[in-house]
Amino acid sequence: EHAQRVLSGGDTGDRGWRLGGGRNGPGPRERSRRSEWGQLDRGIVTPSLQVSGNMHPGFAIGLVFLGCTSNVVFLELLVRDFPGCGNIVTFGQFLFIALEGFIFQARFLTEPRAIPLRSYFITVSMFFVVSMVNNYALNFNIPMPLHMIFRSGSLIASMVLGIIILKKRYTVAKYISIVLISLGIFICTFMSAKQVSSRTDTSDDDSYYVFLQWLMGIAMLTFALFMSARMGLFQEMLYKQYGKHSKEALFYNHFLPLPAFLLFASDIYNHGVLFNQSKQVDIALLGIAVPIMWFYLVMNVLTQYVCIRGVFILTTECTSLTVTLVVTLRKFISLIFSIVYFKNPFTFWHWIGTLVVFIGTLTYAEIWKTFMLLFHRKRKEQ
C-alpha cells in the first residue's frame, strides 16, 4: 500500500493534545493502548483529526476496511491502464495532505515548529525518495499482490537496521517472526520470478529484458524498504531530542517535497493529458461527466484520507492487539480482492508464502502470547 506510509512515533504528543487523552494528556489506560505504528501498517497519521474519546471502535474498523481496501482497488485501476502513472498519483496524494496540513496543522504557516526545519529536510529527502520509488516500481512488471506482500517486509528492514545502527536486541519470538516473514516473501518472489519467465513467449532477448525489468522492480522495492526503515530510525532520534510531533512531521514531509515534483513535471503533465483522453464517466451526484482516470485518481486520494482517518481513530479507541488484527485482516482482504477481481496470477505456493508472512507478522506483534494469556485466565476463572 504505497499510499500508506508511516511517520514513526506513534502518538501525536503536541500542542497539548495526545492520543486518547484529551488536553490533559493520556491517562494510564490510554498509555497502555498506544500501538507501535512502525510495526503495524505503515499508515499516515492525519494532521487535523481530533477524535472524541467516545467514538465507537466499530466505526473506525469500518473506515479502515472501507477506506484502505477501496484505496488499493483504485490504485490498481490506475496502474492497470497506465502502469507509469506513479508520479501523478504520488503528486496528488502529497498535494492533498499538504493542503490539509497547511490549513489545519500549520495554520497557514503561522504555527511555530517544534522541530527545526533543517532536520525536516533530511527526513523529507528520504520520504520523497521512498514514495517515488515504491510507486515507480509498479512500472517494472511487479504485480500488485507481490507489491503488497513484499512491502510487508518493512519489519525485517526496521529490525535489521535497529540491530546494526542502534545496537538493539530483540526477543526470540521477534527473530522467529522475521525468519517467517523473510521466508514467505522469498517464496512469493521466487514463484513470481518463475511466472515472469514462463509468461514470455517471445524471443530470448525479449524474455531476458522482461525478467531484467522485473529484477529492477524487486531491487527498487528492497531499496525503498530499507530507506523507509532508516527514515524511521532517524525520526526516532528526532523525537527523542525534540519530543513526538507526528502531525507536524506529517505536514512538513508532504509540504516541503512539493517543489521536487517539478523534476517530474513533464511526466505528470503527459499523464494528465492521457487521463483527459480516457472515457467519460457520469457523476450522478454532481450531474457532470469526467474522464474516468481522473475519477480513479480523486477516489484514490479521498479513500486514502478515509483510510488514514480510520487507522488514526482505531489506535485511539482500541488496543494495539485489535489494531494489528484489523490491519492484518484488511491487508488479507485487499490481497484476495486483487487476485479475484483483477485476476492476478496467484499459485498454491503464493498462498503458502502469504500465509507464512501473515503468521510472522502476528508473531512479531506477540498476538499468540496474548491469546495464550487470555486462554489461561479464562481457565483459571472456571
Side-chain angles (χ1 to χ4, degrees):
E1 288 92 2
H2 79 297
Q4 302 171 42
R5 287 167 289 269
V6 75
L7 299 181
S8 305
D11 72 76
T12 54
D14 54 337
R15 310 292 186 272
W17 185 84
R18 301 176 185 272
L19 287 178
R23 292 197 171 273
N24 295 323
R29 186 174 175 219
E30 282 74 19
R31 283 195 296 268
S32 67
R33 291 160 60 185
R34 291 175 180 168
S35 65
E36 299 174 350
W37 282 86
Q39 299 173 2
L40 295 182
D41 188 34
R42 293 297 182 208
I44 301 174
V45 185
T46 184
S48 65
L49 295 176
Q50 297 191 6
V51 186
S52 63
N54 56 2
M55 182 75 72
H56 196 280
F59 176 71
I61 294 173
L63 288 181
V64 170
F65 278 98
L66 174 66
C68 301
T69 304
S70 56
N71 178 256
V72 176
V73 171
F74 285 112
L75 173 64
E76 190 149 5
L77 287 169
L78 285 164
V79 300
R80 183 181 59 176
D81 292 337
F82 295 97
C85 69
N87 290 333
I88 192 171
V89 172
T90 308
F91 176 67
Q93 294 165 350
F94 271 58
L95 182 63
F96 183 84
I97 294 175
L99 284 175
E100 197 226 20
F102 183 76
I103 297 170
F104 296 104
Q105 166 60 31
R107 305 196 185 279
F108 303 96
L109 298 182
T110 60
E111 191 79 4
R113 289 186 304 274
I115 299 176
L117 199 60
R118 63 179 180 275
S119 298
Y120 277 126
F121 278 112
I122 300 176
T123 58
V124 161
S125 300
M126 290 189 284
F127 186 61
F128 180 76
V129 170
V130 168
S131 302
M132 297 301 295
V133 170
N134 270 326
N135 286 337
Y136 201 63
L138 292 170
N139 200 29
F140 287 80
N141 295 322
I142 301 294
M144 187 62 73
L146 179 61
H147 194 271
M148 286 188 279
I149 295 168
F150 203 90
R151 293 186 64 191
S152 296
S154 56
L155 294 176
I156 302 173
S158 298
M159 192 167 169
V160 169
L161 293 186
I163 294 172
I164 295 174
I165 298 175
L166 300 181
K167 310 300 181 184
K168 286 186 176 182
R169 291 296 177 266
Y170 299 90
T171 62
V172 175
K174 292 279 195 295
Y175 288 113
I176 292 175
S177 70
I178 294 304
V179 171
L180 290 174
I181 294 172
S182 302
L183 177 62
I185 291 176
F186 173 78
I187 292 173
C188 291
T189 305
F190 181 75
M191 296 309 299
S192 294
K194 290 181 66 176
Q195 286 179 342
V196 169
S197 299
S198 62
R199 265 202 320 258
T200 55
D201 52 358
T202 55
S203 65
D204 290 340
D205 289 341
D206 289 338
S207 299
Y208 176 76
Y209 174 74
V210 171
F211 184 71
L212 193 63
Q213 216 180 20
W214 178 86
L215 284 179
M216 181 64 70
I218 293 297
M220 292 171 70
L221 289 177
T222 304
F223 169 79
L225 276 182
F226 282 90
M227 178 65 79
S228 178
R230 183 63 186 91
M231 181 186 70
L233 294 179
F234 181 77
Q235 287 183 141
E236 187 177 326
M237 291 185 284
L238 280 183
Y239 291 146
K240 285 181 180 179
Q241 184 176 357
Y242 298 105
K244 294 180 180 179
H245 303 276
S246 295
K247 294 195 293 183
E248 177 186 286
L250 176 68
F251 165 66
Y252 283 104
N253 274 328
H254 287 82
F255 177 72
L256 293 178
L258 287 179
F261 282 100
L262 290 173
L263 298 172
F264 309 97
S266 61
D267 181 74
I268 293 172
Y269 174 79
N270 290 336
H271 276 89
V273 172
L274 292 173
F275 282 13
N276 286 335
Q277 296 170 355
S278 61
K279 69 178 182 179
Q280 301 283 313
V281 60
D282 292 324
I283 310 297
L285 291 176
L286 301 178
I288 60 173
V290 298
I292 194 169
M293 296 307 295
W294 283 113
F295 173 74
Y296 289 158
L297 179 60
V298 171
M299 291 304 298
N300 176 267
V301 172
L302 293 180
T303 53
Q304 176 192 330
Y305 182 81
V306 174
C307 176
I308 291 166
R309 185 182 179 91
V311 173
F312 188 83
I313 297 174
L314 198 64
T315 55
T316 66
E317 298 299 324
C318 303
T319 63
S320 124
L321 170 63
T322 302
V323 175
T324 305
L325 286 174
V326 170
V327 165
T328 303
L329 182 59
R330 195 276 306 161
K331 285 182 177 180
F332 187 73
I333 291 175
S334 294
L335 183 65
I336 298 296
F337 192 90
S338 176
I339 295 165
V340 174
Y341 183 79
F342 293 102
K343 295 181 172 56
N344 284 307
F346 216 72
T347 66
F348 170 78
W349 283 105
H350 281 100
W351 285 114
I352 295 296
T354 302
L355 181 63
V356 173
V357 168
F358 282 124
I359 291 175
T361 302
L362 296 177
T363 301
Y364 192 94
E366 298 183 347
I367 283 181
W368 314 122
K369 181 180 178 180
T370 305
F371 281 153
M372 290 299 295
L373 290 174
L374 290 174
F375 177 74
H376 288 306
R377 187 181 301 171
K378 286 186 178 292
R379 288 191 62 181
K380 287 182 180 179
E381 290 175 355
Q382 292 174 354

